[in-house]
Amino acid sequence: MIMNDLMPSRFSVFSRVSLFALLIVLFCVSGISVSFAQTNTRIMEIEVTSNRDGDSAKGLESMVKSQCGLSVGSLLSRDAASEAVKTIWQHQLFDNVTVSQESVEGGVKVIIHVEVRPQVNSITTTGFEEIKEEEALQAIKLSKYLFISESRIVQMRQALLDMYKEKGFLRAEVSFELKPLESDSTRVDVTVTVNEGKKIKIKKISIEGNQNISDRKLKKKMSTKEHRWYRSGEFKEEDFESDKELIVAMYKMEGYRDAVVLRDSVHFDDKDDMVNLTLFVSEGQKYKFGSSSIEGNVRFTEEELRAHMKYAEGDFFNEMLVQMAMVDIMTAYNNQGYLQAQVNPVQIAHGDTVDIKYEIAEFFVAKIAKVIVEGNTKTHEKVIRREIELLPGESFNREKLERSYREIMALNFFDPSGVNFEYDPPDEENNVNIRFKVKERSTGIAQVGAGYSERDRLVGTLGFQNSNLFGRGQSVSVNIDQGSRRKAFQTYFTEPWLLDTPTIFTFSLYHIIRSDYTTAFDQETRRGGYVRLGRELKWPDYSRAYITYRLEDIDYANPSEYYSYYLVTGKTSSVSLAFKRDSTDMPQFATKGSKSAAIVEVAGGPLGGDLSYYKYLMMNEVYYPLFWKLSFVVRSRMGYLKGYREDRFVPYSERFMPGGTSYDGIVRGYSNRQVCPRISGEEIGGETMFVNNLELQVPIVANTVAGILFYDFGNSWRDLSETNPFDLKRSAGVGVRLFVPNMGLLGFDFAYGFDKLEGASKVGGWRTHFQFGNFNDLFMYY
């Protein structure tokens, strides 16, 4: 309430009463009241009163006096009093604030009365099951000592109801009870009671008004599904709202430019405790593309820009194609430095035809002023910069920007969620700064443990691996295995930029002893090493070429005379040439792109050594993004090898032995290295190999956990004459991939083999497989 006793006399009594009443109504609604008899009077004293007493009242009095903006000795005015009320009210601690005055000698005493909101003393909850109590209280920001009001209670109640709606509990009920303490009525015990009810499932989805697109096709597009025995059919309001947009988008892709969802109906079926959903759509007429025109283009010719339009005059209208053309034209301008270029596709409908006019504003070419790297606390800046294709002084190029981002991601030194780029607004000279931001993650992996496999039995492991040694991008690995059947020492070192040039240098040594896993011999010993040089190619993009020299000595203890033809011992001196291309979007859990590799290895002859053969290997992986976040992977691997000395057969150690999770080729559902030819029940491997894997990848936790459904088929054959690409061993199953920091990628698969192996009496049957690392990468072994 604001009162002014010095109102001009020309106001009638009626006017004064009316104004007085109006102001009372306005300020009573807001809980704020200001009253004083005269303006510009000196303040002699400030008194604060409240609905609290004791020490808490004294602390409150001190706070109000210090925050109100009024002080003893200053002049009291209407504006100063109003501002004091606003300032106190902004603390959101009070239900009511009143400012009044009393005349005293020399001036006035200002009286500020505040009604403090109830303060939470304790919180009790009941009924929380689907949502954890801690999660709910944190979401609504309810905590001890909080000052609470009726409006705040309404907000918290609605927030909880919204949380339950998102989880499908449409009939959840929430109530708040405030009980004042007997010792202090300004403090309350709060009880939050929830009746969650049942999770609502969808009995039926109906669509009305659709004449040209069937219910089945529309409902297939929706993420909201009817309840069936094989799916939950839960109702989530957020998904339902998104489905309406998807339906409209689908109509616009089919030519129905004016399609809309008029309304929807959610009807509860109390008998089954389920809901029936009905969508009412208006399709409108079907349109065709008319003419397309372009205005404002200078940098590109009309012909060059029309190449981005994937439609022709007379085709049925598809708004998605219009948007794609807009994005492609915008990208073309961005790649030429026109950072702020704008493309506006204007649709002009007449009759059943839609003309498209692309209005282009090119603006100016932006130059790169600085390329800034942020967030690298361990990795040397030059390790990141050498993956960046943009340079200061060049024109801005979005394609190069995104390519640089991908290459930084491919280093696998950083948390995928913490790698991004941005650019500052152009300055007066049209220069921009590009910022690449990274978030380091651990690249060192120490292993102490044990593993079990059907072939090697129990094996203890001690190892260390670091893919970013001392932050220089170098890789080093040392691994020691010790078991009853397998003893191994393996180490390698890789310098990805030898002498600061894009030349990869790798050096490796190994000594592996395996025994008691075949009747062909008692023990196999392999010791040797290799040196590899690789170089990035300018064409094709994302590709590299390698040359590798390998020197290895192999020996078999107590070989069986029956297998002596295959068990060639001695030194292998070989050179291999390799080509590798990797355009995938992520080092783990890729969703698009491809990997390709081709290798030719020649051993013996002028290279010396005791083994003489040549080997060809080809591998290809293609990742296809599907709907939602699903992706489909097609993986193929082929191999051929042959000895070129008449007196020597292709050595046992080099022959192809796919099966299980073998690096020769993955065919789950069978034992490792068992899908191959045999003699007397023992595998001897093949000279030819063909293996395929089809996988559906389902993300569970982004960049961390994924489930897979797979179908494998493959085989190896004694020689080229026996090769039959229709004689394949098949399997199917499910699995999970888990990326564990400081350990790497782990895989668990459960597969069923449908076919009999050579010499076997029954099919492969059910089998469990364990993988560590990427066993599909040929360059881990060649």
Side-chain angles (χ1 to χ4, degrees):
M1 175 178 62
I2 299 178
M3 297 177 60
N4 189 347
D5 293 338
L6 303 178
M7 299 287 281
S9 58
R10 65 176 177 270
F11 278 90
S12 66
V13 174
F14 176 78
S15 298
R16 292 191 181 192
V17 172
S18 299
L19 178 61
F20 182 78
L22 176 61
L23 294 178
I24 288 179
V25 171
L26 290 175
F27 282 97
C28 283
V29 170
S30 65
I32 304 174
S33 179
V34 180
S35 173
F36 52 91
Q38 54 186 343
T39 59
N40 300 323
T41 305
R42 191 168 302 280
I43 301 173
M44 306 303 296
E45 182 182 352
I46 299 176
E47 179 182 340
V48 177
T49 62
S50 69
N51 57 338
R52 285 195 168 186
D53 52 24
D55 293 338
S56 62
K58 293 180 181 179
L60 184 65
E61 178 183 355
S62 176
M63 186 273 288
V64 171
K65 284 183 177 181
S66 64
Q67 297 292 324
C68 69
L70 302 177
S71 60
V72 174
S74 64
L75 296 178
L76 177 65
S77 66
R78 179 164 51 193
D79 290 342
S82 297
E83 190 63 32
V85 170
K86 292 177 183 177
T87 302
I88 297 170
W89 187 260
Q90 287 174 357
H91 286 80
Q92 298 184 355
L93 302 178
F94 312 106
D95 280 330
N96 186 36
V97 179
T98 302
V99 176
S100 60
Q101 66 177 17
E102 289 182 3
S103 296
V104 296
E105 184 177 351
V108 295
K109 177 173 74 172
V110 176
I111 303 169
I112 303 175
H113 181 74
V114 293
E115 294 287 338
V116 184
R117 289 176 177 174
Q119 190 175 20
V120 177
N121 177 66
S122 67
I123 302 171
T124 304
T125 62
T126 59
F128 284 98
E129 293 182 6
E130 183 66 24
I131 299 177
K132 293 182 179 179
E133 174 187 332
E134 297 81 3
E135 179 187 351
L137 296 181
Q138 185 175 5
I140 64 176
K141 299 180 181 179
L142 176 60
S143 60
K144 194 174 181 181
Y145 306 122
L146 175 74
F147 289 90
I148 197 167
S149 64
E150 288 295 332
S151 61
R152 183 63 183 273
I153 291 173
V154 171
Q155 293 172 0
M156 291 190 294
R157 179 178 178 277
Q158 189 58 49
L160 285 177
L161 290 175
D162 290 342
M163 291 177 69
Y164 276 105
K165 279 185 179 181
E166 289 179 6
K167 292 181 174 291
F169 293 85
L170 300 187
R171 290 190 163 183
E173 298 176 351
V174 178
S175 64
F176 287 77
E177 181 184 356
L178 277 60
K179 185 178 180 180
L181 300 184
E182 293 183 0
S183 58
D184 185 355
S185 61
T186 64
R187 298 176 67 85
V188 293
D189 292 327
V190 179
T191 301
V192 185
T193 303
V194 174
N195 180 10
E196 294 182 334
K198 293 182 179 180
K199 183 173 287 191
I200 300 300
K201 298 182 184 295
I202 302 166
K203 184 176 183 179
K204 185 179 180 181
I205 299 175
S206 302
I207 302 176
E208 301 290 342
N210 55 315
Q211 302 295 322
N212 298 288
I213 301 181
S214 66
D215 286 16
R216 182 176 178 274
K217 192 172 182 180
L218 291 173
K219 288 196 286 188
K220 186 177 180 180
K221 192 74 174 178
M222 298 171 64
S223 58
T224 303
K225 303 292 183 183
E226 295 165 333
H227 172 66
R228 297 291 184 267
W229 65 268
Y230 52 86
R231 65 180 178 226
S232 64
E234 297 174 0
F235 178 81
K236 295 184 179 179
E237 190 171 16
E238 184 178 356
D239 291 346
F240 188 46
E241 292 300 320
S242 297
D243 286 336
K244 298 177 191 176
E245 298 177 5
L246 290 173
I247 288 174
V248 172
M250 184 176 181
Y251 266 107
K252 291 187 176 183
M253 291 174 62
E254 297 284 340
Y256 297 92
R257 175 177 174 269
D258 301 328
V260 293
V261 175
L262 298 173
R263 59 188 178 88
D264 64 79
S265 171
V266 180
H267 175 69
F268 283 92
D269 187 329
D270 293 321
K271 180 179 179 182
D272 296 325
D273 208 9
M274 301 174 75
V275 294
N276 295 313
L277 305 180
T278 305
L279 287 169
F280 298 88
V281 302
S282 172
E283 294 180 332
Q285 70 180 81
K286 192 167 187 175
Y287 289 85
K288 295 181 296 185
F289 278 112
S291 63
S292 295
S293 59
I294 302 173
E295 295 181 359
N297 56 304
V298 177
R299 173 61 182 82
F300 294 101
T301 66
E302 184 169 323
E303 184 179 354
E304 289 174 324
L305 296 180
R306 283 187 179 277
H308 298 291
M309 303 176 194
K310 309 304 181 185
Y311 60 86
E313 186 173 351
D315 292 347
F316 284 119
F317 178 78
N318 186 331
E319 192 162 286
M320 179 67 72
L321 296 180
V322 177
Q323 295 301 315
M324 289 173 60
M326 179 193 71
V327 171
D328 289 346
I329 292 172
M330 182 83 74
T331 300
Y333 273 102
N334 287 166
N335 288 342
Q336 295 299 317
Y338 294 86
L339 177 60
Q340 294 189 322
Q342 296 178 3
V343 181
N344 179 32
V346 179
Q347 300 180 18
I348 307 168
H350 52 92
D352 64 347
T353 303
V354 180
D355 295 336
I356 310 296
K357 180 172 68 174
Y358 292 90
E359 298 176 342
I360 297 174
E362 294 182 345
F363 294 110
F364 51 82
V365 175
K367 298 286 186 178
I368 298 173
K370 296 180 181 178
V371 178
I372 303 168
V373 177
E374 299 176 349
N376 54 311
T377 57
K378 180 182 71 173
T379 304
H380 291 202
E381 189 166 309
K382 75 172 185 178
V383 174
I384 302 173
R385 285 192 175 277
R386 63 197 185 195
E387 305 298 332
I388 299 174
E389 297 191 7
L390 296 165
L391 297 174
E394 291 184 345
S395 298
F396 177 86
N397 187 304
R398 180 170 293 279
E399 184 177 354
K400 286 186 177 182
L401 179 63
E402 293 178 351
R403 172 71 178 265
S404 302
Y405 166 77
R406 180 199 170 279
E407 294 299 326
I408 294 173
M409 289 285 290
L411 291 173
N412 208 19
F413 301 160
F414 310 108
D415 185 342
S417 62
V419 179
N420 56 70
F421 62 81
E422 60 184 33
Y423 43 84
D424 299 337
D427 60 20
E428 295 179 355
E429 299 179 353
N430 301 331
N431 295 324
V432 297
N433 294 327
I434 308 294
R435 300 177 185 274
F436 289 91
K437 297 184 178 182
V438 299
K439 181 180 179 182
E440 301 273 10
R441 75 176 180 189
S442 177
T443 55
I445 301 173
Q447 293 177 271
V448 178
Y452 180 86
S453 69
E454 186 175 349
R455 176 177 286 263
D456 294 328
R457 300 293 173 88
L458 185 65
V459 177
T461 300
L462 175 64
F464 169 78
Q465 177 181 336
N466 195 319
S467 59
N468 188 15
L469 188 65
F470 305 124
R472 297 173 179 169
Q474 301 164 334
S475 298
V476 64
S477 174
V478 178
N479 195 77
I480 300 173
D481 294 341
Q482 185 71 30
S484 59
R485 289 189 173 186
R486 174 183 170 87
K487 298 176 178 64
F489 170 81
Q490 298 168 288
T491 182
Y492 76 82
F493 170 81
T494 297
E495 167 57 72
W497 278 67
L498 184 64
L499 302 177
D500 285 329
T501 66
T503 302
I504 302 171
F505 170 77
T506 300
F507 175 74
S508 177
L509 293 173
Y510 56 86
H511 188 167
I512 303 171
I513 300 173
R514 299 177 67 179
S515 59
D516 297 330
Y517 63 88
T518 178
T519 59
F521 49 83
D522 290 343
Q523 181 174 283
E524 177 190 73
T525 302
R526 304 178 69 164
R527 51 185 174 270
Y530 63 83
V531 176
R532 176 181 299 141
L533 291 174
R535 188 79 181 221
E536 187 172 346
L537 303 177
K538 293 184 178 179
W539 185 90
D541 57 353
Y542 308 114
S543 61
R544 288 175 175 172
Y546 298 84
I547 182 170
T548 303
Y549 174 74
R550 178 167 64 102
L551 182 62
E552 178 184 83
D553 185 52
I554 187 166
D555 183 60
Y556 299 101
N558 299 321
S560 169
E561 293 184 4
Y562 192 78
Y563 298 98
S564 59
Y565 187 54
Y566 303 96
L567 302 178
V568 183
T569 61
K571 291 181 174 60
T572 300
S573 177
S574 74
V575 170
S576 62
L577 297 175
F579 167 84
K580 179 182 178 182
R581 184 177 185 273
D582 184 352
S583 64
T584 54
D585 58 340
M586 297 283 285
Q588 283 103 22
F589 307 112
T591 60
K592 60 182 179 180
S594 64
K595 291 183 180 181
S596 300
I599 299 172
V600 178
E601 183 182 13
V602 178
L607 298 172
D610 302 305
L611 282 71
S612 300
Y613 63 88
Y614 53 90
K615 177 186 290 188
Y616 303 99
L617 287 167
M618 293 188 67
M619 183 270 282
N620 190 54
E621 294 179 14
V622 184
Y623 293 81
Y624 299 94
L626 303 177
F627 61 92
W628 187 55
K629 299 179 181 179
L630 302 181
S631 58
F632 186 67
V633 187
V634 179
R635 185 179 297 114
S636 300
R637 183 172 298 203
M638 295 180 287
Y640 173 70
L641 72 151
K642 194 70 178 176
Y644 60 85
R645 283 177 54 180
E646 295 294 334
D647 60 333
R648 290 296 177 96
F649 197 74
V650 175
Y652 175 88
S653 59
E654 300 298 331
R655 296 170 70 83
F656 298 117
M657 299 182 188
T661 56
S662 167
Y663 56 78
D664 277 342
I666 293 176
V667 188
R668 289 154 288 198
Y670 306 93
S671 297
N672 286 351
R673 296 170 61 82
Q674 296 294 297
V675 182
C676 61
R678 285 174 163 71
I679 293 180
S680 299
E682 288 294 334
E683 69 278 2
I684 59 166
E687 293 185 0
T688 59
M689 172 196 62
F690 180 51
V691 173
N692 295 272
N693 311 110
L694 306 180
E695 293 185 354
L696 177 66
Q697 297 185 352
V698 184
I700 299 173
V701 178
N703 302 316
T704 304
V705 184
I708 62 170
L709 301 174
F710 59 83
Y711 178 70
D712 301 337
F713 50 101
N715 205 349
S716 62
W717 298 269
R718 283 179 174 80
D719 53 42
L720 189 60
S721 64
E722 292 188 11
T723 302
N724 181 2
F726 299 101
D727 176 24
L728 303 174
K729 309 306 177 186
R730 303 160 301 148
S731 66
V734 298
V736 64
R737 296 291 178 268
L738 174 66
F739 182 80
V740 181
N742 301 321
M743 290 187 64
L745 195 64
L746 304 179
F748 301 91
D749 298 322
F750 191 51
Y752 183 84
F754 297 104
D755 303 296
K756 295 180 182 179
L757 298 178
E758 182 178 323
S761 59
K762 59 181 181 179
V763 300
W766 289 106
R767 195 170 296 274
T768 302
H769 302 277
F770 170 77
Q771 297 185 66
F772 180 81
N774 187 1
F775 282 78
N776 300 313
D777 190 346
L778 284 175
F779 286 92
M780 292 183 66
Y781 307 97
Y782 298 99

